[in-house]
């Protein structure tokens, strides 16, 4: 029988994008509540227990409440919130984490979608830690800039409509160094200590540039930018949604546009090196509402249902821009 999928929170930005990616597909059915029933715990509980897969596009507390409403053992859950990303019993929903991760996701009853920032950070760091090129106790600092959609409703209110002309163009936040994504990055990248994580918002709607600087003198002897690049290339060879830029001789002429992959489920990684100073810069570009949210959720859904249909969308394609945005 065609599997039945219920999106709890289908009017938020992630939920709306998931709906658009799934529109027109005949290999699954969508269970949707009428507007009058969306906030009814009884109707939501009924839907959560009637479906084959529940996809939670909710704030953390609401996601925990939704999980508690699921009573039927056969219901499988994908949680797009950060509530369960380091929780025991939940499979981390980054299929490219290692060679066995797609099978783990495919067989899981509970899958936690990765956070937007951790998607880029873990994708860059874990292959290097696994290969012994980056010590697990390296003193890492991760910098990332996201579009204001990562702020949720407050981002829309501060950057769109009448507020657009007076919006602050750039804001660094998380200055208490306790951002909720740090434990997720540490655990899934295999780090011995929490990295310093410095996030920021820019005056554009969506898209992320994430950077991690390394000093070769602090890495094992013989590690070079080329070896780091080769390790990433080996890990992601043949991957549908992760691409690695070639090592560039003209790095000074290059620019990273955080919006380059908007509307897609793709993640673009790169390694830039300066031989004179022994410095390396690891970078990731992706859509915080695509590979960082809805696209990843659909990718995990397809794995869990044994379907091969890839998430739709190409850079620059339109996506729903109304509804409640959930904080990154």
């Amino acid at each position: 029988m065609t599997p039945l999928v219920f999106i709890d929170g289908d009017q938020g930005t992630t939920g709306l994008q998931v709906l658009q990616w799934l529109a027109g597909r005949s290999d699954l059915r969508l269970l949707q509540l009428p507007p009058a029933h969306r906030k009814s715990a009884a109707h939501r509980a009924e839907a959560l227990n009637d479906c084959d897969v529940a996809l939670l596009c909710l704030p953390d507390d609401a996601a925990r409440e939704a999980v508690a409403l699921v009573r039927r053992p056969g219901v499988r859950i994908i949680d797009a919130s950060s509530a369960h990303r380091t929780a025991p019993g939940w499979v981390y929903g980054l299929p490219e984490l290692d060679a066995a991760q797609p099978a783990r996701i495919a067989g899981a009853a509970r899958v936690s979608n990765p956070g937007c920032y951790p998607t880029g950070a873990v994708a860059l760091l874990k292959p290097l830690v696994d290969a012994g090129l980056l010590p697990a106790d390296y003193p890492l600092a991760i910098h990332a800039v996201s579009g204001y959609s990562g702020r949720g409703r407050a981002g829309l209110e501060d950057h769109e409509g009448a507020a657009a002309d007076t919006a602050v163009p750039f804001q660094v936040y998380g200055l208490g160094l306790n951002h909720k994504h740090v434990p997720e990055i540490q655990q899934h990248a295999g780090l011995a200590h929490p990295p310093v994580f410095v996030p920021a918002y820019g005056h554009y709607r969506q898209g992320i540039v994430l950077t991690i600087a390394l000093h070769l003198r602090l890495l094992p002897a013989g590690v070079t930018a080329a070896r780091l690049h080769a390790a990433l290339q080996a890990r992601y060879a043949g991957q549908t949604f992760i691409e690695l830029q070639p090592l560039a001789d003209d790095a000074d002429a290059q620019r990273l546009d955080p919006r380059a992959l908007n509307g897609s489920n793709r993640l673009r990684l790169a390694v830039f090196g300066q031989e004179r100073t022994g410095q390396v810069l690891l970078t990731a570009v992706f859509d915080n509402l695509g590979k960082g949210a809805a696209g990843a959720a659909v990718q995990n859904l397809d794995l869990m249902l044994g379907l091969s249909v890839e998430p739709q969308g190409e850079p620059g394609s339109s996506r729903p821009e109304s509804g409640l945005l959930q904080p990154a």
Side-chain angles (χ1 to χ4, degrees):
M1 181 178 292
T2 307
L4 185 62
V5 177
F6 173 55
I7 304 170
D8 196 2
D10 63 1
Q11 296 306 296
T13 296
T14 297
L16 285 169
Q17 293 204 31
V18 171
L19 282 174
Q20 183 161 333
W21 261 317
L22 296 179
R25 287 181 52 168
S26 59
D27 52 359
L28 52 79
R29 296 172 294 147
L30 289 177
L31 172 60
Q32 293 183 271
L33 294 177
H37 294 168
R38 286 175 186 151
K39 295 184 179 181
S40 165
H43 286 94
R44 287 178 54 233
E46 183 179 3
L48 285 164
N49 286 279
D50 284 347
C51 66
D52 296 301
V53 179
L55 205 167
L56 310 182
C57 300
L58 302 165
D60 290 2
D61 288 343
R64 294 186 185 97
E65 293 170 2
V67 172
L69 291 173
V70 176
R71 305 295 185 188
R72 188 169 66 82
V75 176
R76 306 170 76 189
I77 299 174
I78 301 172
D79 182 9
S81 82
S82 63
H84 300 101
R85 291 174 184 158
T86 59
W90 287 74
V91 173
Y92 193 55
L94 182 61
E96 298 88 359
L97 187 69
D98 59 40
Q101 198 67 5
R104 296 188 191 105
I105 294 169
R110 302 288 184 267
V111 172
S112 182
N113 232 42
C116 55
Y117 292 129
T119 294
V122 172
L124 286 167
L125 295 171
K126 182 170 173 55
L128 306 183
V129 174
D130 288 350
L133 302 179
L134 178 67
D137 62 352
Y138 187 97
L140 287 165
I142 301 168
H143 297 256
V145 183
S146 172
Y148 58 78
S149 59
R151 288 188 59 206
R153 186 186 297 276
L156 295 183
E157 294 173 348
D158 289 350
H159 289 267
E160 295 185 353
D165 292 337
T166 58
V168 178
F170 185 83
Q171 299 178 73
V172 177
Y173 68 106
L175 300 178
L177 302 180
N178 59 357
H179 193 283
K180 66 179 181 179
H181 286 338
V182 170
E184 178 185 350
I185 295 171
Q186 180 182 353
Q187 177 172 313
H188 296 294
L191 305 178
H193 307 291
V196 173
F197 178 50
V198 185
Y201 292 125
H203 184 46
Y204 61 96
R205 195 174 198 278
Q206 65 194 77
I208 287 177
V209 166
L210 181 144
T211 61
I212 305 172
L214 301 176
H215 295 275
L216 294 179
R217 59 183 172 80
L218 300 181
L219 301 182
V223 175
T224 63
R227 287 190 64 189
L228 296 171
H229 185 273
L232 293 175
Q233 191 170 48
R235 174 63 62 90
Y236 299 121
Q239 291 290 341
T240 302
F241 298 113
I242 297 186
E243 59 186 75
L244 180 65
Q245 290 185 196
L247 277 173
D249 294 329
D250 59 343
D252 286 335
Q254 295 198 33
R255 301 291 185 270
L256 297 178
D257 181 354
R259 304 163 299 174
L261 298 180
N262 280 1
S264 81
N265 189 49
R266 289 157 53 199
L267 171 64
R268 179 177 296 154
L269 307 179
V271 177
F272 299 95
Q274 175 48 254
E275 185 176 349
R276 178 179 59 82
T277 60
Q279 296 171 335
V280 170
L281 189 66
L282 311 175
T283 71
V285 173
F286 56 106
D287 183 358
N288 59 293
L289 299 180
K291 183 61 171 167
V298 174
Q299 186 180 358
N300 287 322
L301 178 66
D302 285 341
L303 283 170
M304 294 172 74
L305 296 178
L307 305 175
S308 60
V309 179
E310 298 174 2
Q312 301 299 305
E314 290 299 327
S317 63
S318 62
R319 284 287 176 263
E321 296 193 351
S322 60
L324 177 63
L325 295 168
Q326 303 304 335

